[in-house]
Amino acid sequence: MSREYCKIFAAEARAAPGFGEVPEIIPLYLIYRPANNIPYATLEEDLGKPLESYCSREWGCAGAPAASSSFEVVQKCQTFQHWLYQWTNGSFLVTDLAGADWKMTDVQIATKLRGYQGLKESCFPALLDQFAAAHQCSAYCEMLGLQALKGPEAAHPQAKAKGSKSPSAGRKGPQLSPQPHKKGLPSPQGTRKSAPSSKATPQATEAVAVQLLGQPPSQEVGSKAQGMR
């Protein structure tokens, strides 16, 4: 992950006029050895010379640079740290940058939040605050337009810091359902006319008889009907 961040940084740095060479974090390969007691191991390029520490966790050099070229590597490594801190909104940092010439190896990471980019736990979260307090911008930070991490410019930033964009950041409004909204159809029971009940009341039966016979049924007929039951 540190190497991929460094590749993005290199692409932006090469686009800046006069930036020059860019540090590279060399790849680390995982190999499988089925005949060995420890079947898995890591393999990386042999840099051919002793490693030189460019940026330690004390946010400085392990010693005075031996040449001006080493001093340039140190400044650009610190610029990479600054760029990465701003790119991730202060959530991720690469530390302990050491290597030979422009090739870095055996780097460490610091994270502020647990679970960042799939990591199971946070690593040295206090280092991010220490870096923001101790970092001093160089001319390479200015070439990339990075904001100061301390002082009045940091307290009142002119532009929003570039951070990892959420996939849903550019969406406007609530997410719409893939199915179009359908107009509610009326219930089939709503259009039905109320059917008369099969059990008619005595008043309704008498009203029907009046309409058919012209006179109400006599009480005798009703009593005879009850006697026949």
Side-chain angles (χ1 to χ4, degrees):
M1 183 165 57
S2 300
R3 173 175 165 80
E4 293 302 315
Y5 275 129
C6 192
K7 289 165 64 176
I8 300 174
F9 166 76
E12 292 197 4
R14 292 190 182 100
F19 193 91
E21 295 190 66
V22 184
E24 175 194 2
I25 298 177
I26 63 175
L28 187 65
Y29 301 98
L30 178 66
I31 62 174
Y32 176 61
R33 305 172 297 174
N36 198 289
N37 293 333
I38 304 177
Y40 292 97
T42 55
L43 184 68
E44 63 180 358
E45 176 187 355
D46 184 7
L47 299 181
K49 59 177 66 175
L51 300 182
E52 184 177 353
S53 179
Y54 296 119
C55 295
S56 65
R57 297 185 185 183
E58 286 72 27
W59 317 122
C61 309
S68 59
S69 58
S70 299
F71 182 69
E72 181 183 354
V73 176
V74 169
Q75 285 192 325
K76 290 184 177 179
C77 285
Q78 293 176 350
T79 300
F80 168 59
Q81 290 180 314
H82 184 178
W83 173 89
L84 184 57
Y85 181 90
Q86 181 172 312
W87 177 273
T88 59
N89 292 324
S91 299
F92 187 88
L93 192 69
V94 174
T95 67
D96 294 350
L97 289 162
D101 298 330
W102 295 99
K103 294 185 176 181
M104 309 294 144
T105 182
D106 195 25
V107 299
Q108 304 297 319
I109 62 173
T111 59
K112 197 167 189 178
L113 301 175
R114 182 176 183 179
Y116 179 81
Q117 297 291 343
L119 298 174
K120 295 183 179 179
E121 58 184 11
S122 58
C123 308
F124 314 108
L127 292 180
L128 290 108
D129 296 332
Q130 295 176 13
F131 171 76
H135 175 71
Q136 296 181 356
C137 291
S138 64
Y140 300 107
C141 296
E142 296 178 359
M143 288 182 184
L144 298 182
L146 301 178
Q147 301 174 6
L149 300 179
K150 59 183 179 180
E153 295 182 2
H156 304 284
Q158 296 180 358
K160 183 179 180 181
K162 183 188 298 183
S164 301
K165 297 181 178 180
S166 171
S168 60
R171 298 176 182 173
K172 296 182 179 180
Q175 184 178 0
L176 299 179
S177 172
Q179 298 180 353
H181 294 285
K182 298 179 180 180
K183 295 183 178 180
L185 297 177
S187 173
Q189 298 180 358
T191 55
R192 296 177 183 174
K193 296 182 179 180
S194 57
S197 175
S198 58
K199 296 182 179 180
T201 60
Q203 292 81 358
T205 305
E206 184 177 354
V208 174
V210 171
Q211 293 179 359
L212 295 178
L213 302 178
Q215 58 182 356
S218 61
Q219 297 293 334
E220 297 180 357
V221 175
S223 60
K224 290 181 179 180
Q226 292 179 1
M228 296 174 62
R229 290 180 183 177

